[in-house]
Amino acid sequence: AWLTPVYECEWAGITCRVENECVDRIEFEENDLGGVLPTELKDLGDLRFLILERGTTAGTIPPEFGEIEDLLFLDLDFNRLTGSIP
């Protein structure tokens, strides 16, 4: 469950697939998004695009990202991340 009553497909930076209303794309480019990458992103099984370029995200790239089966495009450039992409 999300932490807000607002439907996630209406959030800025979030795009959902029309056919199943699941999160398809997360795009927060150049908005100083910080913190660490949550391992829970792996639970978004229909996620195909994760674009977090030019933020202040730090820490290790979670190995659980390798479990996002539909992920086609991952852009984490220009953050403070370490580790390899699974």
Side-chain angles (χ1 to χ4, degrees), residues 44-73:
L44 297 174
D46 290 304
L47 184 66
R48 294 188 299 169
F49 303 91
L50 179 58
I51 303 164
L52 305 175
E53 181 180 9
R54 297 183 189 276
T56 58
T57 305
T60 303
I61 299 169
E64 290 85 358
F65 277 24
E67 298 175 26
I68 307 174
E69 293 182 14
D70 287 351
L71 191 64
L72 300 174
F73 189 82

Side-chain angles (χ1 to χ4, degrees), residues 3-84:
L3 301 177
T4 177
V6 178
Y7 181 51
E8 63 270 9
C9 293
E10 296 177 6
W11 298 350
I14 303 291
T15 304
C16 293
R17 292 187 193 184
V18 175
E19 65 272 10
N20 62 9
E21 297 184 359
C22 291
V23 175
D24 179 60
R25 181 184 195 103
I26 299 175
E27 186 169 359
F28 296 120
E29 187 174 351
E30 295 188 56
N31 73 352
D32 287 331
L33 182 68
V36 297
L37 294 172
T39 59
E40 290 82 5
L41 285 173
K42 71 173 175 43
D43 296 333
L44 297 174
D46 290 304
L47 184 66
R48 294 188 299 169
F49 303 91
L50 179 58
I51 303 164
L52 305 175
E53 181 180 9
R54 297 183 189 276
T56 58
T57 305
T60 303
I61 299 169
E64 290 85 358
F65 277 24
E67 298 175 26
I68 307 174
E69 293 182 14
D70 287 351
L71 191 64
L72 300 174
F73 189 82
L74 176 65
D75 188 349
L76 304 172
D77 284 345
F78 303 104
N79 280 283
R80 298 180 189 137
L81 296 165
T82 59
S84 59

